[in-house]
Each structure stands twice: as structure tokens, then as C-alpha cells.
Amino acid sequence: MKNWADVVAFACGLPDVVMAPYYGVPCPKVNNKAFVSPGREADSFHVATPLEEKVLLLDTEPATFWQTAHYERWPGVLVRYAAADTERVRNVIRRGWWDRATKAQRAAFGPRP
């Protein structure tokens, strides 16, 4: 994913996703909950993720997953565009969606990625 348009295109391909305002910016949402957003850094976007997973991502692939002081203690991580492991980034986005999906949406989608 080279830019925000690529992220939006992928996220909008997930079930029941709509574009709606999030802090004044159109973002992909499921059940009126944003799971990805452009972030505050020009070369990255934000993905919602549980704090335990965030720590793992930051530790295992700091060239891709990172944070600024603004995102510390926040359940989400910054992801650099053009990350080497595109499939891992897609799975992080899928998990962000899955965590905000309803039980019915989760059942239709399958296990958490």
C-alpha cells in the first residue's frame, strides 16, 4: 500500500464498510467505528489494534509499525506506506475491522485474521 487511496481501497473491500467522517476526515468504518485513518504523519496511516498486539508489532517490525508520543497508550499503531510485508499489513487492517464487527459479521467473515 503506497498511499492512503490504496489503504481505503483495501479497507472498503471488507464487508459492510462505509466511508464516513472521523475527526472531520472521511475514513473507512464498520458499524460506525473507524478502524483505519490517515494519521498525523505524512508517510503513515493509523490502524486500530489492541495494546497487546501493538507492543508485538512495534517490537517485531519497527521499520513498518511505529508510534509517536501522540499515539502512546492509544489502542492503535502507525503503519508506514510501502511496507515490505504487504500481507502482514493487510492482516492488521483485517483485524482492526474484525475487532469492530458485530458477532454476525464476524461469523460470516470467519476467524480473526
Side-chain angles (χ1 to χ4, degrees), residues 61 64-65 82-91:
E61 203 169 336
T64 297
F65 303 103
D85 191 346
T86 304
E87 192 55 31
R88 186 172 190 198
V89 171
R90 287 179 179 157
N91 275 333

Side-chain angles (χ1 to χ4, degrees), residues 9-88:
F10 177 77
C12 286
L14 295 168
D16 304 318
V17 171
V18 297
M19 291 295 287
Y22 180 69
Y23 292 103
V25 177
C27 292
K29 291 184 173 184
V30 63
N31 301 318
N32 206 31
K33 299 174 189 171
F35 58 99
V36 293
S37 61
R40 296 174 150 220
E41 306 302 320
D43 65 340
S44 301
F45 63 97
H46 177 266
V47 180
T49 188
L51 290 172
E52 316 78 59
E53 288 185 22
K54 174 182 177 174
V55 170
L56 179 67
L57 293 168
L58 293 172
D59 287 345
T60 59
E61 203 169 336
T64 297
F65 303 103
W66 67 292
Q67 67 180 345
T68 63
H70 175 79
Y71 292 102
E72 287 180 9
R73 296 180 299 280
W74 185 258
V77 67
L78 291 170
V79 182
R80 286 188 172 85
Y81 292 117
D85 191 346
T86 304
E87 192 55 31
R88 186 172 190 198

